[in-house]
Amino acid sequence: MRNNLNSDKRVRVRYAPSPTGEPHVGNIRTALFDWLVAKKFDGDFIVRVEDTDQDRKVDGAIDLQKSSLQWLGLEWDEGLGKDGEFGPYVQSERLNIYIDHVNILISNEKAYKCFCTPERLQELRKKQRESKSQVVGYDGFCRDKSENYSTYSITDGCVVRFAMPQSGQSTLNDLVRNQVTFENRLIEDFVMMKSDGFPTYHFASVVDDHLMEISLIVRGEEWLSSLPRHIQIHKAFNWEMPDFAHIPTILAPDKTKLSKRHGATSVLEFKKEGYLPETMINFLCLLGWSIDGEQELISIDELIEKFNISDLSPSGSVFDKNKLNWMNGQYLKNKSAPQLAKTLFDFWVEFPPESFDSVPSEKELEIIAPLISERLKTLREAEEWIAFLYKNNISYSIEDLIQKNSDIQLTNLFIEKAINSLSELEKFQASFIEINLRELISELEVKPGMFLGTIRMATSGQIISPPLFESLEILGREKTMNLLLQADQMVKQSINA
Ligand code: GLU
């Protein structure tokens, strides 16, 4: 056994999204685990599109899968636009393969055609419900008719059902849940080919996993109940079982399944909110897994080295947004000035800051970004911190200017003095600005916060801003002086009113 995998075949893992909407963080966590296993064992990571449910197909959903994986750097080897020797990797392009395979099972009497009408099935369900029968589902009406074992073709207009063994158990050693066992008699003869000629998920995924030589199937625990069906299809073909790992559901703090009503659930929404890909990878990995129960910040290289699918906990894990914010703050803080500047610049190219009239250059951001990096939890928050530098107009009220325990006369004095002092500056640089303004504070014998609060409001219109002296340097002499003069006018008007 290789590092807790049951199988010693070449490691081939697949992420098998259905194109039904924006990928949920739960799906992407599955993809991440797949990717980590492939990386760790130098195996292959395959992305297969499971679009057999044509009614649920959403246009553009495949592109969203692609962008989500690409954003996180989860490069794949086959499928989703990449060729490979096991293609096609889109199930709707593999219909002939399923038809050939269902006919193998029909000829071996492991599957049969079923012509029962929807009305009959509805009536059957009603009766079963009324009689409180333990076994609900198809009653095998078409199973005993020899004519239903003739070759299937789409034009038959029927469904094909699997002839489920009526006794015995289906059992498997799941990598996360250990031994799992199901009673076969409780499972109906389920549909493998639908009347529209498309296979069901159960059938298509088993056929594809086998033909694509998948060695390990990682998927959400909601698929556990499908496992006996999949085990029996493998048996009917005499195929070797791959490994399975049914991973825990991601829960919201109220312990229900994380869904839209709890906030963002799609990876691309997190991208838009300004979370870093490295944060998402680290955070998602820790939903259900840990290195030692303590270490929180784990680099991708370390994850690849230490991750072990069988160390996952089988119970659901809670998505803690506070922890995500904290983690993102850590990753932001640990970036060098040029790295953070580039990240912020790229973020704003994709999601332009609405409140800015002009967008900062990467060079400017190299100076500004380090000033706020300690305070940021997300890239998006940076906009609010530095908006005043890139807005043509700022606005505030006279009440905003007058600080706590100050008054309008004092505010007037602060602004006049600041104008005089700063206009004399030879070099409009943070260190000189600081010396001058601090001299004023001593001369006026006031609390620094009171004085600087007024200047901050006058020059930024914000209660919070990056460190003031640096901010003024970035604003530049002309803009700073204009803003102070405007404030001066406002205060004087108010005094004279
Ligand atoms: N198409 C299924 C889904 O979207 C994949 C289940 C599996 O991995 O077997 O959840």
Side-chain angles (χ1 to χ4, degrees), residues 14-20 27 30 34 48-51 56 65 91 201 205 209 217-220 222-223 230 244 246:
R14 82 334 184 243
Y15 169 51
S18 298
T20 52
N27 300 115
T30 305
D34 280 323
R48 180 174 74 224
V49 175
E50 299 203 328
D51 59 348
R56 292 184 58 222
Q65 291 285 350
Q91 288 186 328
Y201 156 72
S205 73
D209 286 337
I217 292 166
V218 180
R219 62 185 182 188
E222 66 274 20
W223 297 106
H230 300 179
F244 278 86
H246 287 91

CSV table of all heavy atoms in Angstrom, one decimal, residues 14-20 27 30 34 48-51 56 65 91 201 205 209 217-220 222-223 230 244 246, ligand 1:
chain,number,residue,atom,x,y,z
A,14,ARG,N,-9.5,12.3,-10.7
A,14,ARG,CA,-10.3,13.2,-11.6
A,14,ARG,C,-11.2,14.1,-10.8
A,14,ARG,O,-11.7,13.7,-9.7
A,14,ARG,CB,-11.1,12.3,-12.6
A,14,ARG,CG,-12.4,11.6,-12.3
A,14,ARG,CD,-12.7,11.2,-10.9
A,14,ARG,NE,-13.9,10.5,-10.8
A,14,ARG,CZ,-15.0,10.9,-10.1
A,14,ARG,NH1,-15.0,12.0,-9.5
A,14,ARG,NH2,-16.1,10.1,-10.0
A,15,TYR,N,-11.4,15.3,-11.3
A,15,TYR,CA,-12.4,16.2,-10.8
A,15,TYR,C,-13.5,16.1,-11.8
A,15,TYR,O,-13.2,16.3,-13.0
A,15,TYR,CB,-11.8,17.5,-10.6
A,15,TYR,CG,-12.8,18.7,-10.3
A,15,TYR,CD1,-13.7,18.6,-9.3
A,15,TYR,CD2,-12.8,19.8,-11.1
A,15,TYR,CE1,-14.6,19.6,-9.0
A,15,TYR,CE2,-13.6,20.9,-10.8
A,15,TYR,CZ,-14.5,20.8,-9.8
A,15,TYR,OH,-15.4,21.8,-9.5
A,16,ALA,N,-14.8,15.9,-11.4
A,16,ALA,CA,-15.8,15.6,-12.4
A,16,ALA,C,-17.0,16.6,-12.2
A,16,ALA,O,-18.1,16.1,-11.8
A,16,ALA,CB,-16.3,14.2,-12.3
A,17,PRO,N,-16.8,17.8,-12.5
A,17,PRO,CA,-17.9,18.8,-12.3
A,17,PRO,C,-19.1,18.6,-13.3
A,17,PRO,O,-18.8,18.2,-14.4
A,17,PRO,CB,-17.3,20.1,-12.5
A,17,PRO,CG,-16.1,19.9,-13.4
A,17,PRO,CD,-15.6,18.5,-13.1
A,18,SER,N,-20.3,18.9,-12.8
A,18,SER,CA,-21.4,19.0,-13.7
A,18,SER,C,-21.6,20.5,-14.0
A,18,SER,O,-21.5,21.3,-13.0
A,18,SER,CB,-22.7,18.5,-13.0
A,18,SER,OG,-22.5,17.1,-12.7
A,19,PRO,N,-21.7,20.9,-15.2
A,19,PRO,CA,-21.8,22.3,-15.6
A,19,PRO,C,-23.1,22.9,-15.2
A,19,PRO,O,-23.9,23.3,-16.1
A,19,PRO,CB,-21.5,22.3,-17.1
A,19,PRO,CG,-22.0,21.0,-17.5
A,19,PRO,CD,-21.9,20.0,-16.4
A,20,THR,N,-23.4,23.1,-13.9
A,20,THR,CA,-24.7,23.6,-13.5
A,20,THR,C,-24.7,24.9,-12.8
A,20,THR,O,-25.7,25.4,-12.3
A,20,THR,CB,-25.3,22.6,-12.5
A,20,THR,OG1,-24.4,22.3,-11.5
A,20,THR,CG2,-25.7,21.2,-13.2
A,27,ASN,N,-16.9,22.0,-4.2
A,27,ASN,CA,-16.4,21.4,-5.4
A,27,ASN,C,-14.9,21.6,-5.6
A,27,ASN,O,-14.1,20.7,-5.9
A,27,ASN,CB,-17.1,21.9,-6.7
A,27,ASN,CG,-18.6,21.6,-6.6
A,27,ASN,OD1,-19.4,22.6,-6.5
A,27,ASN,ND2,-19.0,20.4,-6.5
A,30,THR,N,-12.7,19.7,-3.5
A,30,THR,CA,-12.5,18.3,-4.0
A,30,THR,C,-11.4,18.4,-5.1
A,30,THR,O,-10.5,17.5,-5.1
A,30,THR,CB,-13.8,17.8,-4.7
A,30,THR,OG1,-14.8,17.9,-3.7
A,30,THR,CG2,-13.6,16.4,-5.2
A,34,ASP,N,-7.8,16.5,-5.1
A,34,ASP,CA,-7.3,15.7,-6.2
A,34,ASP,C,-6.0,16.1,-6.7
A,34,ASP,O,-5.0,15.3,-6.9
A,34,ASP,CB,-8.3,15.9,-7.4
A,34,ASP,CG,-9.6,15.1,-7.3
A,34,ASP,OD1,-9.5,13.9,-6.8
A,34,ASP,OD2,-10.6,15.6,-7.7
A,48,ARG,N,-13.1,16.1,-15.9
A,48,ARG,CA,-14.1,15.5,-16.8
A,48,ARG,C,-15.4,16.2,-16.6
A,48,ARG,O,-15.8,16.4,-15.4
A,48,ARG,CB,-14.2,14.0,-16.4
A,48,ARG,CG,-15.2,13.3,-17.3
A,48,ARG,CD,-15.3,11.8,-17.0
A,48,ARG,NE,-15.9,11.5,-15.7
A,48,ARG,CZ,-15.5,10.6,-14.8
A,48,ARG,NH1,-14.4,10.0,-15.0
A,48,ARG,NH2,-16.2,10.3,-13.8
A,49,VAL,N,-16.0,16.6,-17.6
A,49,VAL,CA,-17.3,17.3,-17.5
A,49,VAL,C,-18.4,16.3,-17.6
A,49,VAL,O,-18.6,15.6,-18.5
A,49,VAL,CB,-17.4,18.3,-18.7
A,49,VAL,CG1,-18.7,19.0,-18.7
A,49,VAL,CG2,-16.3,19.4,-18.6
A,50,GLU,N,-19.2,16.3,-16.5
A,50,GLU,CA,-20.3,15.4,-16.4
A,50,GLU,C,-21.6,16.1,-16.7
A,50,GLU,O,-22.3,16.7,-15.9
A,50,GLU,CB,-20.4,14.8,-15.0
A,50,GLU,CG,-19.1,14.0,-14.7
A,50,GLU,CD,-19.2,12.9,-13.7
A,50,GLU,OE1,-20.0,13.1,-12.7
A,50,GLU,OE2,-18.5,11.9,-13.8
A,51,ASP,N,-21.9,16.1,-18.0
A,51,ASP,CA,-23.1,16.9,-18.5
A,51,ASP,C,-24.2,16.0,-19.0
A,51,ASP,O,-24.9,16.3,-20.0
A,51,ASP,CB,-22.7,17.9,-19.6
A,51,ASP,CG,-22.0,17.2,-20.8
A,51,ASP,OD1,-21.8,15.9,-20.7
A,51,ASP,OD2,-21.9,17.8,-21.8
A,56,ARG,N,-30.2,20.4,-16.6
A,56,ARG,CA,-29.5,21.3,-15.5
A,56,ARG,C,-28.3,22.0,-16.1
A,56,ARG,O,-27.7,22.8,-15.3
A,56,ARG,CB,-29.1,20.4,-14.3
A,56,ARG,CG,-30.4,19.9,-13.6
A,56,ARG,CD,-30.0,19.2,-12.3
A,56,ARG,NE,-29.2,20.0,-11.4
A,56,ARG,CZ,-28.1,19.6,-10.7
A,56,ARG,NH1,-27.7,18.3,-10.9
A,56,ARG,NH2,-27.5,20.3,-9.9
A,65,GLN,N,-15.7,26.9,-14.3
A,65,GLN,CA,-14.8,25.9,-13.7
A,65,GLN,C,-13.4,26.2,-14.0
A,65,GLN,O,-12.5,26.1,-13.2
A,65,GLN,CB,-15.2,24.5,-14.2
A,65,GLN,CG,-16.6,24.0,-13.7
A,65,GLN,CD,-16.6,23.6,-12.3
A,65,GLN,OE1,-15.5,23.4,-11.6
A,65,GLN,NE2,-17.8,23.3,-11.7
A,91,GLN,N,-18.8,14.1,-21.1
A,91,GLN,CA,-19.7,12.9,-21.2
A,91,GLN,C,-20.6,13.0,-22.4
A,91,GLN,O,-20.9,11.9,-23.0
A,91,GLN,CB,-20.4,12.7,-19.9
A,91,GLN,CG,-19.4,12.2,-18.8
A,91,GLN,CD,-20.0,11.8,-17.5
A,91,GLN,OE1,-21.1,12.4,-17.1
A,91,GLN,NE2,-19.4,10.9,-16.8
A,201,TYR,N,-25.8,9.6,-14.2
A,201,TYR,CA,-24.5,9.8,-13.6
A,201,TYR,C,-23.9,8.5,-13.1
A,201,TYR,O,-22.7,8.3,-13.4
A,201,TYR,CB,-24.7,10.8,-12.4
A,201,TYR,CG,-23.7,10.7,-11.3
A,201,TYR,CD1,-22.4,11.2,-11.6
A,201,TYR,CD2,-23.9,10.0,-10.1
A,201,TYR,CE1,-21.4,11.0,-10.6
A,201,TYR,CE2,-22.9,9.9,-9.2
A,201,TYR,CZ,-21.6,10.4,-9.4
A,201,TYR,OH,-20.6,10.2,-8.5
A,205,SER,N,-20.4,7.7,-14.9
A,205,SER,CA,-19.1,8.0,-14.1
A,205,SER,C,-18.4,6.7,-13.8
A,205,SER,O,-17.1,6.7,-13.9
A,205,SER,CB,-19.5,8.7,-12.8
A,205,SER,OG,-20.1,7.8,-11.9
A,209,ASP,N,-14.7,6.3,-15.2
A,209,ASP,CA,-13.6,6.1,-14.2
A,209,ASP,C,-12.8,4.9,-14.6
A,209,ASP,O,-11.5,4.9,-14.5
A,209,ASP,CB,-14.2,6.0,-12.8
A,209,ASP,CG,-14.7,7.3,-12.2
A,209,ASP,OD1,-14.2,8.4,-12.7
A,209,ASP,OD2,-15.5,7.3,-11.3
A,217,ILE,N,-11.0,8.0,-6.4
A,217,ILE,CA,-12.1,8.9,-6.6
A,217,ILE,C,-12.3,9.6,-5.3
A,217,ILE,O,-12.6,9.1,-4.3
A,217,ILE,CB,-13.3,8.1,-7.0
A,217,ILE,CG1,-13.1,7.5,-8.4
A,217,ILE,CG2,-14.6,9.0,-7.0
A,217,ILE,CD1,-14.1,6.4,-8.8
A,218,VAL,N,-12.1,11.0,-5.4
A,218,VAL,CA,-12.4,11.8,-4.3
A,218,VAL,C,-13.7,12.5,-4.6
A,218,VAL,O,-13.8,13.1,-5.6
A,218,VAL,CB,-11.2,12.9,-4.1
A,218,VAL,CG1,-11.5,13.8,-2.9
A,218,VAL,CG2,-9.9,12.2,-4.0
A,219,ARG,N,-14.6,12.4,-3.7
A,219,ARG,CA,-15.9,13.2,-3.9
A,219,ARG,C,-16.6,13.4,-2.6
A,219,ARG,O,-16.2,12.8,-1.5
A,219,ARG,CB,-16.8,12.4,-4.9
A,219,ARG,CG,-17.2,11.1,-4.4
A,219,ARG,CD,-18.0,10.3,-5.4
A,219,ARG,NE,-18.4,9.0,-4.9
A,219,ARG,CZ,-19.0,8.1,-5.7
A,219,ARG,NH1,-19.1,8.3,-7.0
A,219,ARG,NH2,-19.3,6.9,-5.1
A,220,GLY,N,-17.6,14.3,-2.6
A,220,GLY,CA,-18.3,14.7,-1.4
A,220,GLY,C,-19.0,13.5,-0.8
A,220,GLY,O,-19.5,12.6,-1.5
A,222,GLU,N,-21.9,13.3,0.0
A,222,GLU,CA,-23.3,13.2,-0.4
A,222,GLU,C,-23.4,12.1,-1.5
A,222,GLU,O,-24.5,11.6,-1.8
A,222,GLU,CB,-23.9,14.5,-1.0
A,222,GLU,CG,-23.2,15.1,-2.2
A,222,GLU,CD,-22.0,15.9,-2.0
A,222,GLU,OE1,-21.4,15.8,-0.9
A,222,GLU,OE2,-21.6,16.7,-2.8
A,223,TRP,N,-22.3,11.6,-2.0
A,223,TRP,CA,-22.3,10.5,-3.0
A,223,TRP,C,-22.1,9.2,-2.4
A,223,TRP,O,-22.1,8.2,-3.1
A,223,TRP,CB,-21.2,10.8,-4.0
A,223,TRP,CG,-21.4,12.0,-4.8
A,223,TRP,CD1,-20.7,13.2,-4.7
A,223,TRP,CD2,-22.4,12.2,-5.8
A,223,TRP,NE1,-21.2,14.1,-5.6
A,223,TRP,CE2,-22.3,13.6,-6.2
A,223,TRP,CE3,-23.4,11.4,-6.3
A,223,TRP,CZ2,-23.1,14.1,-7.2
A,223,TRP,CZ3,-24.3,12.0,-7.3
A,223,TRP,CH2,-24.1,13.3,-7.7
A,230,HIS,N,-22.4,1.9,-7.6
A,230,HIS,CA,-21.1,1.9,-8.3
A,230,HIS,C,-20.3,0.6,-8.1
A,230,HIS,O,-19.7,0.1,-9.0
A,230,HIS,CB,-20.3,3.2,-7.9
A,230,HIS,CG,-21.1,4.4,-8.2
A,230,HIS,ND1,-20.6,5.7,-7.9
A,230,HIS,CD2,-22.3,4.6,-8.7
A,230,HIS,CE1,-21.5,6.6,-8.3
A,230,HIS,NE2,-22.6,5.9,-8.7
A,244,PHE,N,-11.7,4.9,-3.1
A,244,PHE,CA,-12.6,5.9,-2.9
A,244,PHE,C,-12.3,6.7,-1.6
A,244,PHE,O,-11.9,6.1,-0.6
A,244,PHE,CB,-14.1,5.4,-2.8
A,244,PHE,CG,-14.7,5.0,-4.1
A,244,PHE,CD1,-14.5,3.8,-4.7
A,244,PHE,CD2,-15.6,5.9,-4.7
A,244,PHE,CE1,-15.1,3.5,-5.9
A,244,PHE,CE2,-16.2,5.6,-5.9
A,244,PHE,CZ,-16.0,4.4,-6.5
A,246,HIS,N,-14.6,9.5,0.4
A,246,HIS,CA,-15.8,10.4,0.5
A,246,HIS,C,-15.5,11.5,1.6
A,246,HIS,O,-15.4,11.1,2.7
A,246,HIS,CB,-17.0,9.6,0.8
A,246,HIS,CG,-17.5,8.8,-0.4
A,246,HIS,ND1,-17.1,7.5,-0.6
A,246,HIS,CD2,-18.3,9.1,-1.4
A,246,HIS,CE1,-17.6,7.1,-1.7
A,246,HIS,NE2,-18.4,8.0,-2.2
B,1,GLU,N1,-20.7,15.2,-11.3
B,1,GLU,C1,-20.7,15.0,-9.9
B,1,GLU,C2,-20.8,16.4,-9.2
B,1,GLU,O1,-20.8,17.4,-9.9
B,1,GLU,C3,-19.4,14.4,-9.5
B,1,GLU,C4,-19.5,13.3,-8.5
B,1,GLU,C5,-18.3,12.4,-8.5
B,1,GLU,O2,-17.2,13.0,-8.3
B,1,GLU,O3,-18.4,11.2,-8.7
B,1,GLU,O4,-20.9,16.4,-8.0
